[in-house]
Amino acid sequence: MSAVVDFPVKPETRPYLEAVAGSPGEPEWLMQHRRRALARFAELGFPSRHGEAWRYLDLRPLEQAPLRPLAATEVEAARAGGDPASAWPAAGLRLTLLDGRFAPELSRLGEMPATVWFGSMRDAIVRRPDLVGEALEALAADRDQPFAALNAGVFGDGFTLAVPEGVVVEPPIEILHLASGRSTASFHTRSLVTLGAASRVRLVEIYTGEGRYWRNDVVAVRLARGAAIDRVALVEEADAALHLAVFDATLGPDARLSSTALLLAGGTLRHDAVVRCQGEGARCGLYGAYLAAGRQQANFVTTLDHCAPRGETREVFKGVAADRAHGAFQGRITVRPNAQKVDAHMLSRNLLLGAHAAVDTKPELEIFADDVKCSHGATVGDLDATALFYLLSRGIRRADARRMLIDAFLREPVDRVEPASLRDHLLARLSARLAVLEET
Amino acid sequence: MEFPSLMLEIRNLHARLGDGREILKGIDLAVTAGEVHAIMGPNGSGKSTLAAVLAGREGYEVTAGEVTYLGRDLLALAADERAREGLFLDFQYPVEIPGVNNMYFLRAALNAQRRHRGEPELDAGQFLRAVRAKLKELEIGEDLLQRAVNVGFSGGEKKRNEIFQMAMLEPRLAILDETDSGLDIDALRVVATGVNRQRRSDRAIILITHYQRLLNYVEPDRVHVLLAGRIVESGDKSLALELERGGYAAFGSVG
Ligand SMILES: Nc1ncnc2c1ncn2[C@@H]1O[C@H](COP(=O)(O)OP(=O)(O)O)[C@@H](O)[C@H]1O
Ligand SMILES: [Mg+2]
């Protein structure tokens, strides 16, 4: 990418515009798309905390010490080693992205029906531009969200999963995002899932790593009529890591999306879910939990757009902020004028533990149709004193009793995850994380 | 031979609520190992407050008096320490704790107490065997096991769960707060049998109740009448029968 630019540039974006994006020999359509996206990023600049969309995260450290995208040539081959604790031990199919690039030696792409396309994004760009081309160019977030635009400009790799009509992929597919700790840099990954009519998949995204890095991840999911996806994201990044992720989904008629995201570790974490229920009768469940301690920042943002009648949304987000941590939930559900009979509920429940922690919760409904059932609720409170006393009165130590109650509080969104072995893994990670937290 | 040893001694205990209202106005009570004491009194007389103060619940301020438990200053111990020292409170209103499995909870409690006593912890298998044996002995079904603590339990199931916990934890001093209230006759019998099986020469039991019904099944050594924050009368089991006939009015103003 040329360092000479002829569009308005916000100063904080400069280090990223000079980066070497993509790889030599990329198709012209992609290079053009990258250039447009970078121009957009340069114009938008870093988001301001004065705007609504980014008011709960402090990104000054990133502005002060930029984390440049890692060039393809800088990625070292992976060393053999055991799986990180965050990885799902029972995973059959696994695609690993190490420092933002596909690592075949750490992947098991396994047996798939011949009609299913599953592989790295770079591979798909070369071999199946028909699958990814249009979708890569059509992401709304790339226009509005600065870091999505940056991602479109400089992404190095990602995964592509395309399932044709009627095909059901039973075993969950794990996408393992690793950071080796060898580079203080940013890893921009961009992935695409397209599901044909009445097809179905389960996706497990694990994010973990070592060192100081910025992971900037975009996953776009397109569901045709009656398609279904169950998706889990487990985020256990390094303490010094910044993790920004956008999960962007478009649901056709009677399609079904279920997403469960757990933000457990990492310095600054933001998980953005952007969902358009475009077809009639589309159903969407968004669940999540964050556990923020120390000086962690954790932020869930959901943007749900009901554009068609008879859609259904359930959102349940739980959060715990302890020590000096800051947790936030921002949720918006929009119901368009023609989207009658939409049934949408959003709930954000939070525990605020300690005088120096902070929690913000901001659920919003924008309803333009008259025959709908919509509600939202938000709570911020302390642990239930009566329940705590009950546990103490049986001899359980205070620190253990508190952990049991926090665990019980946070596990609700996880309790619906299938299969059981995946649910147990998530609950075990939650408990393990709780065990290392200092008692406040 | 063993001499009967003093288990609990309460002297001139005064306690008030956060809002300053004094509820306990000078309680004196001595309980010896091996005994069952009944504390009877009308609603609002301070029975649950006494139990809560003894168990170490927050929200009460002790303004005067002392409590000695097995030779130690009970009030200086935190609630969980008291429990590990063998004090057990059977709640009048057992607490529902969504998301905490009943078995997981009880194993954590039992192992915390065993660790405290320097005994080896029970692994999942050993614990399950102990649980099964105890449930059988108490004639309690196994359906309570896999649920969250008290969540969705009927009133009777909650009380049985309390008795079951007591039987598993084997306390030195058990305080049962209105274990009998709201029970049908079958549940009452299960609970009473459970309590009777817990009677031992090295264990004391305080039964708080405002009916004498439970005392038909569990025979107390001593009966005390608590009225407006004071023990106004103490006697043997015949006092309970007297109360049944004459009510509390004979012992003074109920308010
Ligand atoms: N935690 C509390 N908060 C407010 N009032 C309380 C609390 N505990 C006890 N009380 C009050 O103290 C008095 C005695 O209550 P309690 O000890 O529950 O009586 P009993 O168990 O004998 O029915 C009542 O007036 C009750 O309302
Ligand atoms: Mg009471």
Side-chain angles (χ1 to χ4, degrees):
Chain A
M1 188 115 325
S2 164
V4 181
V5 289
D6 56 358
F7 41 78
V9 172
K10 294 266 172 63
E12 69 274 14
T13 68
R14 260 181 215 291
Y16 301 93
L17 306 182
E18 291 153 8
V20 185
S23 58
E26 270 186 351
E28 180 57 26
W29 61 265
L30 181 58
M31 307 255 281
Q32 273 184 25
H33 180 55
R34 287 185 186 280
R35 278 194 290 271
R36 273 196 304 273
L38 273 182
R40 183 66 183 144
F41 171 62
E43 185 186 356
L44 289 168
F46 274 33
S48 157
R49 286 194 87 178
H50 300 300
E52 275 306 309
W54 287 83
R55 65 183 298 176
Y56 299 121
L57 284 191
D58 180 4
L59 295 172
R60 276 173 306 182
L62 182 63
E63 282 189 42
Q64 284 150 14
L67 288 162
R68 290 181 177 75
L70 197 64
T73 49
E74 297 172 78
V75 181
E76 294 173 42
R79 280 171 306 195
D83 289 350
S86 305
W88 180 36
L93 300 165
R94 169 179 292 168
L95 187 148
T96 298
L97 293 161
L98 174 70
D99 294 342
R101 307 279 170 157
F102 175 50
E105 62 285 5
L106 299 178
S107 303
R108 294 189 295 267
L109 301 191
E111 294 284 301
M112 280 278 199
T115 51
V116 173
W117 178 272
F118 178 49
S120 74
M121 177 56 87
R122 299 175 63 79
D123 195 30
I125 286 167
V126 176
R127 291 167 57 196
R128 292 297 303 271
D130 58 308
L131 277 182
V132 296
E134 200 187 331
L136 280 177
E137 291 179 62
L139 220 53
D142 298 350
R143 284 190 302 274
D144 321 325
Q145 222 255 45
F147 300 123
L150 172 62
N151 178 294
V154 303
F155 75 89
D157 211 338
F159 70 91
T160 303
L161 173 63
V163 183
E165 184 171 339
V167 174
V168 173
V169 183
E170 262 318 324
I173 298 169
E174 186 188 61
I175 310 299
L176 181 57
H177 290 260
L178 301 177
S180 67
R182 289 190 291 264
S183 318
T184 299
S186 50
F187 313 132
H188 304 262
T189 40
R190 174 162 288 238
S191 303
L192 183 66
V193 179
T194 46
L195 300 183
S199 68
R200 205 177 77 213
V201 293
R202 295 178 188 276
L203 198 60
V204 185
E205 296 161 55
I206 310 280
Y207 299 84
T208 189
E210 284 165 43
R212 177 162 182 267
Y213 57 92
W214 168 19
R215 193 189 306 286
N216 185 24
D217 182 54
V218 174
V219 178
V221 182
R222 302 285 173 266
L223 283 81
R225 175 182 295 276
I229 183 168
D230 290 280
R231 174 259 185 175
V232 162
L234 170 64
V235 179
E236 294 193 284
E237 301 278 26
D239 289 342
L242 166 65
H243 170 108
L244 304 178
V246 175
F247 180 79
D248 177 292
T250 304
L251 277 62
D254 297 316
R256 186 181 62 75
L257 158 71
S258 163
S259 165
T260 305
L262 275 184
L263 309 183
L264 296 186
T268 297
L269 310 170
R270 172 169 159 136
H271 184 278
D272 236 303
V274 183
V275 182
R276 281 166 306 279
C277 289
Q278 228 159 42
E280 196 165 335
R283 285 178 298 150
C284 167
L286 297 180
Y287 311 100
Y290 68 78
L291 173 59
R295 291 181 177 272
Q296 265 183 287
Q297 309 183 75
N299 191 182
F300 276 117
V301 185
T302 67
T303 311
L304 229 131
D305 193 352
H306 278 285
C307 323
R310 294 193 307 105
E312 193 182 294
T313 290
R314 290 290 176 275
E315 293 190 37
V316 180
F317 285 84
K318 297 265 190 114
V320 172
D323 305 330
R324 294 181 172 274
H326 185 181
F329 170 82
Q330 293 155 274
R332 175 184 296 143
I333 298 179
T334 303
V335 182
R336 307 268 176 134
N338 66 320
Q340 300 295 0
K341 306 250 185 254
V342 158
D343 182 340
H345 302 277
M346 171 166 44
L347 181 65
S348 159
R349 293 187 59 204
N350 303 274
L351 292 179
L352 183 57
L353 306 178
H356 302 292
V359 166
D360 288 286
T361 172
K362 198 161 175 286
E364 289 176 288
L365 299 175
E366 284 186 331
I367 298 171
F368 301 105
D370 46 29
D371 183 14
V372 298
K373 245 170 59 189
C374 294
S375 69
H376 65 75
T379 60
V380 181
D382 201 345
L383 288 174
D384 178 355
T386 317
L388 183 62
F389 175 62
Y390 193 76
L391 299 178
L392 296 175
S393 79
R394 299 310 186 232
I396 297 172
R397 286 176 189 279
R398 179 170 284 268
D400 295 334
R402 288 175 61 94
R403 270 195 285 271
M404 282 170 83
L405 292 178
I406 297 170
D407 189 286
F409 175 80
L410 286 177
R411 65 187 292 151
E412 185 195 341
V414 180
D415 271 335
R416 67 192 90 225
V417 168
E418 300 277 356
S421 65
L422 177 58
R423 177 171 62 238
D424 291 345
H425 176 61
L426 297 177
L427 292 174
R429 295 312 302 157
L430 176 58
S431 299
R433 181 67 188 154
L434 271 170
V436 302
L437 286 190
E438 276 181 338
E439 183 56 17
T440 47
Chain B
M1 88 166 245
E2 246 180 77
F3 289 95
S5 61
L6 199 57
M7 180 148 279
L8 181 75
E9 190 177 19
I10 304 175
R11 284 181 304 271
N12 188 35
L13 183 66
H14 290 253
R16 64 183 183 197
L17 296 171
D19 63 11
R21 211 153 30 110
E22 185 168 62
I23 305 295
L24 303 183
K25 301 172 179 168
I27 303 268
D28 290 284
L29 182 69
V31 179
T32 299
E35 289 182 340
V36 174
H37 286 230
I39 297 181
M40 305 184 69
N43 271 331
S45 57
K47 302 184 299 295
S48 292
T49 302
L50 175 61
V53 168
L54 292 176
R57 187 174 195 145
E58 284 167 24
Y60 303 90
E61 190 194 347
V62 173
T63 51
E66 285 132 50
V67 181
T68 308
Y69 167 68
L70 293 173
R72 298 180 62 178
D73 177 6
L74 183 71
L75 300 178
L77 302 178
D80 54 323
E81 293 173 306
R82 297 181 197 192
R84 290 194 298 275
E85 289 291 337
L87 187 136
F88 180 88
L89 173 61
D90 179 323
F91 283 58
Q92 179 172 6
Y93 304 108
V95 183
E96 299 189 8
I97 312 184
V100 176
N101 174 271
N102 206 23
M103 282 304 88
Y104 174 74
F105 149 72
L106 188 54
R107 182 150 83 98
L110 183 60
N111 279 337
Q113 301 207 12
R114 290 178 68 93
R115 245 187 339 264
H116 180 71
R117 295 193 295 260
E119 293 165 12
E121 294 184 27
L122 298 188
D123 66 28
Q126 293 166 320
F127 176 72
L128 193 61
R129 278 192 292 282
V131 160
R132 291 237 160 90
K134 202 60 90 177
L135 286 174
K136 199 156 173 229
E137 183 186 322
L138 296 172
E139 295 173 47
I140 298 177
E142 292 196 6
D143 44 326
L144 303 184
L145 300 182
Q146 285 320 316
R147 294 195 250 163
V149 178
N150 293 320
V151 176
F153 286 29
S154 70
E157 283 174 330
K158 285 181 182 169
K159 302 286 175 156
R160 275 178 245 214
N161 195 33
E162 295 287 293
I163 294 293
F164 166 55
Q165 290 175 35
M166 175 175 73
M168 288 297 297
L169 295 173
E170 304 191 303
R172 299 293 308 278
L173 173 64
I175 303 169
L176 280 60
D177 192 1
E178 307 230 14
T179 295
D180 51 333
S181 65
L183 293 187
D184 63 31
I185 200 73
D186 290 334
L188 184 67
R189 217 173 269 132
V190 168
V191 164
T193 309
V195 174
N196 280 328
R197 283 177 187 275
Q198 291 296 304
R199 294 184 82 146
R200 270 171 38 175
S201 60
D202 60 350
R203 175 177 296 144
I205 297 174
I206 297 176
L207 290 177
I208 292 174
T209 177
H210 68 266
Y211 301 113
Q212 100 84 38
R213 195 172 65 144
L214 178 65
L215 306 181
N216 291 333
Y217 298 90
V218 184
E219 203 173 292
D221 300 293
R222 301 284 294 163
V223 176
H224 312 274
V225 180
L226 184 67
L227 221 56
R230 279 192 196 90
I231 290 180
V232 295
E233 184 80 34
S234 296
D236 62 14
K237 63 181 177 187
S238 62
L239 182 56
L241 295 167
E242 217 174 293
L243 276 172
E244 182 81 344
R245 282 193 302 270
Y248 294 107
F251 298 93
S253 154
V254 170

